[in-house]
Amino acid sequence: MGFRRFCLFAILGFALSVFCFACTNLNQETTQTPTTEQTDKPQISALSPQTQEIVKSAGTDGLFNPPRGDVRLVVISDLNGAYGSTDYDLEVDKGINLLPFWQPDMVVSSGDVVAGQKTSLTESQIKAMWAAFDEHVAAPLREANLPYGFTMGNHDASGAKGVGGNFLFQQERDLASQYWNDPKNDPGVEFIDRNEFPFFYTFKHKDIFFMAWDGSTHKIPPEKLPWVEKALASPEAQQAKMRILISHLPLYAVGTGRNQPGDVMENADELRVMLEKYNVHTYISGHHHAYYSGHRGKLQLLNMGIMGSGPRPLIGSKIPPTKAITVVDINFDSPELTTYNTYDMKTLKLIEYKQLPRFLTSHNGIVLRRDVEYEDLTAEEKAACVDKLGEKLCANQLTVNS
């Protein structure tokens, strides 16, 4: 009798142990199930008081921090105010203060970070502008050990030339070069070719090849194009997992008041074909003061919104103009490669693709929204494009002749 009772208790004990073990594992599996909530969200308490206040201002749901990719960039553009200004709009400081929240691997700028392009500005005034930029932007990035990849804008160091071929803003170009080539202002990128830095140069970061060219005017000098092609064809570029070009002027217009020759790169389609030939994925630009995530052909076009003074509406759009900042997450195994999360700098709410026009009719060719293909357009939309631009600049936008 005692032996049978012992066996019964042993069997019951074993069954109870198996049940408890199963319950424990079930609970662990439940807590480890992936969710659609924000990931990589930093501890708010670890952020500076200024950053905490900005994050709280986003509302009860908090500031969205997207799932992190293999590489994260924060892209900014057009920070300047009025000519000669050494002050920055509040949104500029706001954006820089938010960087610890998003924790990027690198910051990219498509130019116009000071307020030049005026011949009456003195040397001391120009140096004061660069000192103000350093205080508000460059120094905080250096202190955070954040690399800064950038291009020169027309208000930084315009490449405009007079009838004699001389630079109209030579002093601004000289002082910009002086600032950037000062070792204490090193932007922290891994240079590949810096012989003509900061106007034409290449660098790499985490398996991404970057080229910055002088898009401060509408024309890349013909003598520079061989350098562009040689750099893009180089092993450093072609063995990278991604290639990005940074320019100030876009290839195609997106902003009202800038839809005209001189405010976009000359021979845009020819440049695009060249960039596609070397598998450049993304062309980042500013100047138009309007955010639009688009593409033409195979080339992704990240037209950056402004953080400084003077946002503009998109071409033909009734959407109110906004200041913006973009977080780009790069996933090397993803077919799209990049994911954009762009924030309205006033409300800190996301600007969704669906809020943007499905296409824009730039004077030099249609620009499709990033998630729209030409075949997706309705017959009415195609007809509207052809009516404005003609068949060649609409229907043929996917044709690339290598």
Side-chain angles (χ1 to χ4, degrees):
M1 183 71 177
F3 178 77
R4 274 186 286 177
R5 182 178 297 175
F6 172 80
C7 290
L8 178 61
F9 283 137
I11 292 169
L12 289 173
F14 177 78
L16 182 61
S17 298
V18 170
F19 176 77
C20 292
F21 178 79
C23 289
T24 301
N25 277 350
L26 179 61
N27 183 61
Q28 288 177 345
E29 289 175 4
T30 301
T31 58
Q32 292 171 358
T33 301
T35 69
T36 57
E37 295 178 357
Q38 305 180 40
T39 59
D40 299 316
K41 190 169 183 178
Q43 293 292 326
I44 301 300
S45 59
L47 301 174
S48 71
Q50 298 96 320
T51 302
Q52 290 186 45
E53 287 301 314
I54 297 170
V55 171
K56 290 176 184 177
S57 73
T60 55
D61 293 334
L63 180 59
F64 179 70
N65 194 32
R68 191 178 190 87
D70 297 316
V71 181
R72 171 170 287 186
L73 311 176
V74 168
V75 189
I76 61 177
S77 189
D78 296 272
L79 316 184
N80 61 298
Y83 291 115
S85 176
T86 55
D87 295 323
Y88 286 89
D89 287 5
L90 294 176
E91 289 80 6
V92 174
D93 291 330
K94 187 177 184 180
I96 298 302
N97 277 318
L98 280 173
L99 294 176
F101 176 83
W102 288 309
Q103 299 178 335
D105 297 296
M106 180 181 180
V107 174
V108 173
S109 168
S110 48
D112 273 2
V113 299
V114 298
Q117 203 178 20
K118 192 172 185 179
T119 54
S120 62
L121 292 173
T122 65
E123 178 179 344
S124 62
Q125 286 177 305
I126 297 169
K127 287 184 175 180
M129 290 191 299
W130 282 107
F133 164 75
D134 195 82
E135 178 185 352
H136 287 263
V137 181
L141 297 184
R142 290 195 301 269
E143 290 167 7
N145 292 317
L146 274 175
Y148 177 66
F150 64 94
T151 189
M152 305 304 289
N154 55 292
H155 290 292
D156 302 322
S158 174
K161 293 183 178 181
V163 292
N166 59 305
F167 287 113
L168 297 176
F169 301 94
Q170 184 68 64
Q171 180 177 231
E172 293 184 12
R173 291 177 69 84
D174 290 343
L175 293 175
S177 180
Q178 183 183 109
Y179 171 83
W180 282 116
N181 282 287
D182 186 330
K184 72 174 185 293
N185 299 328
D186 190 308
V189 300
E190 186 178 350
F191 288 103
I192 298 172
D193 181 350
R194 62 170 299 165
N195 286 335
E196 294 189 55
F197 174 76
F199 302 107
F200 291 89
Y201 69 103
T202 57
F203 63 96
K204 59 183 178 180
H205 187 75
K206 293 183 178 289
D207 286 325
I208 304 171
F209 175 90
F210 291 86
M211 172 181 285
W213 71 21
D214 186 359
S216 63
T217 63
H218 66 287
K219 192 172 184 178
I220 300 296
E223 64 271 19
K224 298 298 182 187
L225 290 176
W227 174 85
V228 172
E229 289 215 56
K230 183 179 179 181
L232 291 176
S234 68
E236 292 91 345
Q238 291 304 304
Q239 291 172 12
K241 293 182 179 179
M242 182 183 184
R243 285 149 293 281
I244 295 175
L245 192 142
I246 316 170
S247 176
H248 185 58
L249 265 64
L251 293 175
Y252 307 94
V254 299
T256 298
R258 301 253 160 114
N259 187 15
Q260 58 199 6
D263 280 316
V264 297
M265 299 304 295
E266 186 176 78
N267 301 320
D269 274 338
E270 288 85 349
L271 291 176
R272 174 175 61 85
V273 168
M274 178 187 65
L275 297 178
E276 289 177 346
K277 175 183 176 182
Y278 296 105
N279 294 311
V280 174
H281 184 272
T282 304
Y283 183 103
I284 299 175
S285 62
H287 188 62
H288 280 221
H289 298 193
Y291 165 68
Y292 192 74
S293 57
H295 73 97
R296 182 167 167 83
K298 297 178 181 179
L299 185 63
Q300 296 295 313
L301 304 169
L302 176 52
N303 302 277
M304 278 304 302
I306 189 173
M307 286 175 64
S309 301
R312 294 172 177 267
L314 292 165
I315 297 169
S317 174
K318 296 181 180 179
I319 301 171
T322 59
K323 299 184 180 185
I325 190 170
T326 298
V327 177
V328 179
D329 280 289
I330 298 164
N331 292 281
F332 293 125
D333 294 330
S334 168
E336 292 80 17
L337 200 55
T338 55
T339 301
Y340 303 156
N341 282 280
T342 299
Y343 300 77
D344 181 319
M345 285 303 299
K346 179 178 285 187
T347 65
L348 294 180
K349 301 302 181 186
L350 287 175
I351 301 173
E352 306 285 354
Y353 288 163
K354 63 184 179 181
Q355 296 174 245
L356 304 173
R358 282 162 56 83
F359 66 97
L360 299 176
T361 50
S362 168
H363 70 277
N364 60 342
I366 187 175
V367 179
L368 295 167
R369 196 174 70 193
R370 190 178 188 204
D371 60 336
V372 176
E373 298 296 336
Y374 188 75
E375 294 80 2
D376 299 331
L377 299 182
T378 66
E380 291 78 10
E381 288 174 324
K382 291 177 181 178
C385 180
V386 171
D387 184 56
K388 286 188 177 182
L389 303 179
E391 186 74 24
K392 182 179 180 181
L393 293 178
C394 292
N396 290 344
Q397 70 96 25
L398 295 179
T399 300
V400 176
N401 297 316
S402 57

